[in-house]
Amino acid sequence: MIQFRIQPDSEIPASTQLFNQIRFAIASRQYPPGYKLPSTRALAMQTGLHRNTISKVYRQLEEDGFVESLAGSGIYVRAQGHEGGSRLQSPVFKQHPNAYKIVQQALDELLSQECSLNQAREIFLAEVDWRLRCSARVFVAAPSQDIGVGELMVYELEEALKIPIQLVAMEELAAVLDKTTSATVVTSRYFINDVEEIVAPKAVRVIPLDIYDYSKELNLLKTLPKDSCVGIVSLSSGIGRQAEVILHGLRGDELLIMTSQPKDNYKLQAIVKRAEVIISDLASYAGVQAAVQAADEDIIRPPKLIKVQNYIGTESINLLKRELGLI
């Protein structure tokens, strides 16, 4: 952070001293276009000036066209002359006020590495084109021993993205990718290292997905009486195993944990007849409901059913939509 110094015994007013120093910082590109100016609080602590005085200086800088204020974001150095031009009026920049700054910083970095503008444009267009081509075909990769977690990801992604998703066992991924020139491979962070190793030589990109934190469900399980039985039903056998480990760490041997996949009728029926609470993923919920209804005459008190809305974190879904050009 640039250190601004105010001479209290100078004949030049303190506000003018600060104004001139900030103008010099902008002119010398110590504060380049798009740079966010320090807050009035931070500058007051540095200079000893009152925040009202600093606000007055910032207003004057804005009136003179050196900076611009973005509501709720801060005050930024404006692009001057050819640096900005009419592009700043684009609706895209109004929708994404920091976009111009990000693009300009990237271009400045390329130019500083002796890359020409034409080369920079070629790099940007090639990257955008590659991403669009990759987005045309999306794979979900999961290990064959827990292909259910891949089925769960496909189920949720097709519901959220409204595009076809292809499930591929990790052991078969390399062979599948040999037959395509570009694609996007999506996987859980649990498997990301293995998938990246497979994908590395291929012309594809990998996007890891964060999983839901299950905080709501875990908070409920913390309150269950000792010796309660909890059923976990999921397409993924791995989720069931992970749930057992997590719940044992949370409650020790206080809870009885039973797990099943929805197609395992024997285990599912045992859970329905024994558990006080059954937690299932969205894809398995209808099967759990049907099992409870089928066993209605054999159970005194139906279990409480909890439907987990998603395995994939919401932020990951939104990021994937942007990466695939769907929004």
Side-chain angles (χ1 to χ4, degrees):
M1 182 177 179
I2 298 173
Q3 295 296 314
F4 297 112
R5 303 188 184 281
I6 304 300
Q7 299 294 332
D9 55 352
S10 172
E11 295 180 357
I12 302 175
S15 59
T16 303
Q17 292 183 51
L18 180 60
F19 180 86
N20 289 336
Q21 289 182 61
I22 294 177
R23 281 191 59 182
F24 175 76
I26 293 172
S28 63
R29 288 184 79 89
Q30 296 179 75
Y31 280 179
Y35 184 87
K36 183 178 180 180
L37 269 60
S39 67
T40 56
R41 181 186 298 274
L43 212 49
M45 293 177 63
Q46 182 188 141
T47 63
L49 297 178
H50 195 280
R51 291 177 66 182
N52 289 342
T53 300
I54 297 169
S55 295
K56 178 182 176 181
V57 170
Y58 279 1
R59 284 195 300 271
Q60 186 61 50
L61 287 165
E62 186 168 18
E63 289 174 7
D64 290 352
F66 294 105
V67 302
E68 59 183 340
S69 176
L70 298 179
S73 179
I75 298 175
Y76 295 84
V77 176
R78 286 190 59 188
Q80 305 292 322
H82 73 281
E83 294 172 330
S86 60
R87 289 169 300 186
L88 289 176
Q89 304 305 316
S90 168
V92 175
F93 286 113
K94 291 180 179 179
Q95 184 180 1
H96 304 284
N98 291 327
Y100 178 77
K101 177 181 67 173
I102 294 169
V103 171
Q104 188 174 57
Q105 288 173 344
L107 280 174
D108 285 346
E109 179 63 26
L110 288 172
L111 293 174
S112 71
Q113 296 181 22
E114 300 184 354
C115 179
S116 70
L117 279 175
N118 283 333
Q119 289 172 328
R121 181 173 70 171
E122 185 176 343
I123 291 169
F124 272 98
L125 291 177
E127 177 67 14
V128 171
D129 180 65
W130 179 69
R131 291 195 180 200
L132 288 174
R133 284 188 288 110
C134 286
S135 300
R137 193 168 189 186
V138 181
F139 298 112
V140 162
S144 57
Q145 70 267 24
D146 187 16
I147 203 65
V149 75
E151 294 174 350
L152 182 56
M153 286 190 283
V154 169
Y155 177 88
E156 292 189 6
L157 289 176
E158 289 190 333
E159 285 288 312
L161 305 180
K162 307 301 181 185
I163 62 172
I165 308 290
Q166 183 176 344
L167 175 61
V168 181
M170 284 165 50
E171 296 81 356
E172 302 171 7
L173 184 57
V176 171
L177 294 179
D178 283 338
K179 300 176 182 178
T180 184
T181 56
S182 56
T184 294
V185 179
V186 178
T187 191
S188 164
R189 286 198 187 275
Y190 275 104
F191 318 123
I192 186 62
N193 291 335
D194 292 333
V195 171
E196 283 186 329
E197 186 175 345
I198 296 169
V199 167
K202 313 295 182 180
V204 298
R205 61 176 177 164
V206 182
I207 299 178
L209 298 175
D210 296 324
I211 67 170
Y212 171 58
D213 64 11
Y214 297 94
S215 57
K216 179 180 176 181
E217 291 75 21
L218 289 173
N219 287 333
L220 170 68
L221 295 177
K222 289 178 183 178
T223 66
L224 288 181
K226 186 178 179 181
D227 297 326
S228 295
C229 179
V230 177
I232 307 291
V233 182
S234 174
L235 288 178
S236 166
S237 60
I239 289 177
R241 291 192 297 270
Q242 292 157 16
E244 287 183 305
V245 173
I246 292 170
L247 293 180
H248 186 270
L250 186 70
R251 295 289 303 267
D253 295 326
E254 293 181 348
L255 301 179
L256 172 62
I257 309 300
M258 301 176 67
T259 66
S260 174
Q261 293 178 276
K263 294 180 181 179
D264 190 333
N265 291 326
Y266 179 80
K267 287 186 176 180
L268 185 57
Q269 289 174 13
I271 287 175
V272 166
K273 294 176 182 179
R274 178 70 177 83
E276 285 87 11
V277 175
I278 301 177
I279 300 174
S280 78
D281 57 45
L282 191 61
S284 305
Y285 188 71
V288 174
Q289 281 186 311
V292 171
Q293 292 173 359
D296 182 58
E297 295 181 357
D298 298 326
I299 52 180
I300 299 174
R301 178 180 297 177
K304 179 179 181 180
L305 303 185
I306 298 175
K307 176 171 58 178
V308 179
Q309 291 298 328
N310 56 302
Y311 169 72
I312 304 169
T314 303
E315 285 300 316
S316 274
I317 291 287
N318 292 334
L319 175 61
L320 191 56
K321 285 181 178 179
R322 291 192 291 271
E323 288 282 349
L324 297 177
L326 300 177
I327 55 175

